[in-house]
Amino acid sequence: MRCVVTGAAGFIGSHLGEHLLEHGHDVVGIDCLTDYYEPRIKEANLGPLQGHPRFTLHREDLLTAPLPDLFAGADTVYHLAGQPGVRPSWGAHFADYAVRNVLATQRVLEAARSVELGKLVYASSSSVYGNAETYPTVETLRPQPVSPYGVTKLAGEHLCELYRMGFGVPTASLRLFTVYGPRQRPDMAFSRLVSAAVHGTRFELYGEGTQTRDFTFVADVVRAMSDVARSDFTGVANIGGGSRTSMNEVIDIVSGLAGSIEVHRLPTQRGDVRDTAADTRVAFEGFGYVPTVSLTEGLASMVEAERLAGVAA
Ligand code: NAD
Ligand code: UGA
């Protein structure tokens, strides 16, 4: 099958590309390597994909790329490209969030109308919930984002639902809960924490460390994406890791795996939610989703990857 992956050079997109190639698919990647974080990191993410005979990369912006041509003959479009990051989405930065998360998604959906897709999988976000009223949180709870980023991810999701119901585009929006694993974005907590433990640098902790997240290993996420593409499921589903852990607990686990960490405390950041926890029954019933990687296993794989990168450098 032919698959399109937008955001193929990113953290999750590069893992998804590898997974799809391993399972025998042809993969067309689209990514313009934005400078949200260093593009050379994204070049490195592409390393395992480039050179594969069934992978092609179009280094183009979704805002201007000839999407109907790129989508022609595709069975699935995985739409992961976007401006990530909860905390920097305030003020003047919001324009990038509006353009890359809302306008780009609308352009993807317009192009999807012109081709016969089996599925359009959209990487939505737990940030749509804000500080949810109940945990674990179900998809039917009214979303109340507390960051501009969350507002744009919710707008993208609403657009998917609109094109699904209005034009029959078979969209599946997966609300991903804090994804981690090797190649995690450098602005995210675990990549910084593992780097601090392995290299003996300082970790800046926002708040008291009592905030909790339903952390989800990237291999579980890419499997959920490819499974939903092959299922009849359309609509919105949570994808979580199966447990809820505080940052203080995570710091203890990483210290145990890689050595003690110097923690420098900073205030809670604007836009951060207090807690997240996914009710994943919709994903289980819709396409058999069950998370398989425990937090300790997943963190151990990050520590190993960080050590190997240090040896290779
Ligand atoms: P990432 O920044 O590593 O990957 C996103 C990629 O999209 C980047 O390589 C970037 O260059 C590309 N991109 C952005 N705008 C583009 C455009 N207009 N045209 C072409 N390419 C463009 O981020 P990630 O952590 O891999 O996240 C991937 C997606 O999953 C994002 O949409 C994000 O909102 C969503 N998501 C991520 C998490 C998480 O915990 N990482 C959780 C929930 C949702
Ligand atoms: C993550 C991703 O960055 C978003 O792209 C995604 O949409 C979101 O998950 C989601 O689930 O929808 P976040 O939960 O903030 O956002 O993930 P991290 O950056 O890993 O932060 C986790 C916790 O660690 C937060 O409480 C944050 O404040 C804290 N943190 C982060 C630190 O204490 N120090 C840091 O240097 C970074």
Side-chain angles (χ1 to χ4, degrees):
M1 278 203 292
R2 182 179 161 90
C3 306
V4 174
V5 178
T6 77
F11 160 47
I12 305 172
S14 62
H15 282 279
L16 178 63
E18 274 186 66
H19 174 94
L20 295 171
L21 290 171
E22 276 164 22
H23 286 77
H25 303 292
D26 293 335
V27 178
V28 176
I30 308 174
D31 202 306
C32 62
L33 280 67
T34 66
D35 64 359
Y36 174 75
Y37 58 91
E38 282 190 53
R40 67 170 176 80
I41 299 175
K42 299 179 184 182
E43 302 267 13
N45 289 345
L46 287 169
L49 301 172
Q50 275 175 331
H52 194 290
R54 282 184 278 103
F55 179 73
T56 38
L57 178 73
H58 294 266
R59 196 168 168 162
E60 301 208 48
D61 193 319
L62 290 178
L63 269 299
T64 50
L67 295 181
D69 294 346
L70 295 175
F71 290 0
D75 182 74
T76 308
V77 172
Y78 295 95
H79 176 41
L80 280 69
Q83 182 80 351
V86 178
R87 295 169 287 279
S89 61
W90 302 96
H93 298 292
F94 183 69
D96 283 337
Y97 287 80
V99 170
R100 293 177 181 157
N101 296 346
V102 185
L103 297 184
T105 298
Q106 186 266 354
R107 211 163 174 268
V108 165
L109 287 160
E110 279 294 327
R113 286 178 63 191
S114 67
V115 289
E116 280 284 313
L117 288 180
K119 197 80 74 198
L120 192 155
V121 181
Y122 169 63
S124 187
S125 162
S126 75
S127 63
V128 303
Y129 290 117
N131 289 309
E133 280 153 23
T134 52
Y135 298 94
T137 306
V138 292
E139 290 84 350
T140 46
L141 198 83
R142 187 167 75 90
Q144 293 177 277
V146 294
S147 66
Y149 165 78
V151 170
T152 62
K153 292 304 289 187
L154 182 59
E157 196 186 286
H158 280 317
L159 283 166
C160 288
E161 289 294 278
L162 189 58
Y163 278 69
R164 180 168 76 83
M165 289 185 276
F167 301 112
V169 178
T171 64
S173 297
L174 301 187
R175 292 179 175 168
L176 312 180
F177 281 64
T178 314
V179 186
Y180 74 101
R183 308 205 288 267
Q184 194 191 42
R185 298 194 327 259
D187 58 309
M188 291 184 69
F190 286 13
S191 65
R192 292 178 171 178
L193 198 51
V194 167
S195 174
V198 170
H199 305 295
T201 52
R202 194 168 80 166
F203 175 71
E204 292 184 339
L205 175 67
Y206 306 141
E208 294 298 311
T210 50
Q211 68 267 43
T212 63
R213 292 285 180 281
D214 190 337
F215 296 103
T216 315
F217 192 65
V218 67
D220 283 330
V221 169
V222 302
R223 193 172 36 78
M225 289 184 157
S226 70
D227 285 351
V228 76
R230 289 186 287 109
S231 76
D232 292 333
F233 181 87
T234 55
V236 178
N238 290 333
I239 299 295
S243 65
R244 185 171 157 195
T245 313
S246 73
M247 281 304 294
N248 286 333
E249 288 168 318
V250 172
I251 290 169
D252 285 346
I253 296 171
V254 176
S255 304
L257 290 166
S260 65
I261 300 163
E262 184 191 340
V263 176
H264 176 66
R265 286 183 192 278
L266 291 177
T268 299
Q269 306 284 297
R270 269 199 315 168
D272 268 340
V273 298
R274 163 93 205 153
D275 303 297
T276 66
D279 184 318
T280 54
R281 280 176 294 176
V282 168
F284 175 68
E285 281 155 24
F287 46 97
Y289 175 72
V290 179
T292 61
V293 181
S294 73
L295 188 58
T296 306
E297 282 175 288
L299 282 166
S301 80
M302 287 186 78
V303 169
E304 192 189 341
E306 186 72 24
R307 285 186 173 139
L308 285 173
V311 171

